[in-house]
Amino acid sequence: NLKIVNVKLVLLGETTTGKSSLVLRFVNNDFQENKESTIGAAFLTQKCRFEDKVIKFEIWVTSGQERFNSLAPMYYRNALAVIVVYDVTKAVTLDRAKSWVKELKRQANPNIIIALVGNKIDLVQPYEDESGEYGEYGRQVPTEEAKAYALEAGLLFFETSAKNGDGVRDVFVEIAKKLPLE
Ligand code: GTP
């Protein structure tokens, strides 16, 4: 007899960073190239077997559009975990992610689990030039910079692609591992 544990989880982050797409990948293993922006918020659930338990994630995807930002506290107030999403190809979206983290530290449950997720890594192209130097096209947020910030702020950290699925499941599994179950 498996015990079902309900876990309320919320996604926050600038518009078009891929919050809905990450959840669509996790829940339906699907991706939509031209996904329309969320109005207000959307709700989905996904069950996940974890050790001797079944975790039922109750997921609220909030809209990143500015006009809906004042609704966010309603969603994160009773949440056990929050995923704050930025887009690795747009540096300003990390600034917005940091301001959400600040708000959460001020206003959310102090035990809330926060994961910082840099999405759209499929748009980053590694290259090697003639002199043997390595680099990346398309990236505006270096992994090390975001990782250092996450470490300092006490956040889980991931890079993902909702488009090809890279890293997406890990986010939810690592959150599940940190949950105070029982
Ligand atoms: P709001 O609802 O406006 O807050 O947006 P959102 O953060 O939920 O973003 P959404 O999931 O709607 O994705 C925005 C756009 O980016 C869509 O056209 C997606 O197809 C695209 N997108 C999302 N994730 C990825 C990704 O990992 N890689 C690429 N290449 N595109 C992505």
Side-chain angles (χ1 to χ4, degrees):
N1 255 351
L2 290 170
K3 193 178 158 203
I4 297 188
V5 186
N6 294 316
V7 173
K8 186 175 161 188
L9 182 149
V10 176
L11 285 92
L12 297 172
E14 183 60 90
T15 184
T16 74
T17 51
K19 298 178 293 298
S20 300
S21 299
L22 285 166
V23 175
L24 189 66
R25 173 60 72 194
F26 177 59
V27 172
N28 292 337
N29 198 22
D30 191 17
F31 178 75
Q32 293 169 9
E33 203 63 58
N34 286 301
K35 192 146 182 339
E36 72 282 5
S37 186
T38 302
I39 303 297
F43 181 72
L44 296 97
T45 66
Q46 174 67 36
K47 282 185 190 157
C48 243
R49 177 76 190 269
F50 186 71
E51 289 167 359
D52 61 339
K53 296 184 189 65
V54 174
I55 293 179
K56 184 181 171 203
F57 284 108
E58 303 174 325
I59 307 170
W60 285 98
V61 187
T62 65
S63 172
Q65 289 181 58
E66 182 120 28
R67 63 192 167 118
F68 296 117
N69 285 353
S70 61
L71 300 178
M74 242 170 41
Y75 297 102
Y76 65 66
R77 191 180 299 134
N78 300 311
L80 283 181
V82 179
I83 298 174
V84 182
V85 183
Y86 68 95
D87 174 347
V88 296
T89 72
K90 284 190 191 159
V92 290
T93 65
L94 179 63
D95 298 335
R96 185 66 187 107
K98 288 179 179 175
S99 71
W100 278 121
V101 171
K102 247 190 213 160
E103 177 173 331
L104 290 168
K105 300 225 164 193
R106 210 170 51 228
Q107 301 203 45
N109 178 328
N111 298 320
I112 202 163
I113 296 162
I114 307 175
L116 180 69
V117 171
N119 188 39
K120 307 199 186 184
I121 45 164
D122 59 282
L123 297 177
V124 174
Q125 295 297 328
Y127 68 84
E128 183 185 350
D129 68 16
E130 306 94 67
S131 58
E133 293 276 346
Y134 290 97
E136 285 175 326
Y137 294 118
R139 183 189 282 281
Q140 283 192 4
V141 180
T143 305
E144 290 312 316
E145 179 194 323
K147 202 189 262 181
Y149 161 70
L151 187 68
E152 172 197 298
L155 320 174
L156 295 170
F157 173 71
F158 307 88
E159 287 187 337
T160 60
S161 166
K163 183 166 180 170
N164 64 26
D166 280 354
V168 177
R169 213 187 141 71
D170 275 2
V171 177
F172 293 87
V173 169
E174 294 306 313
I175 287 172
K177 285 187 189 166
K178 289 206 82 177
L179 289 168
L181 300 175
E182 254 129 354

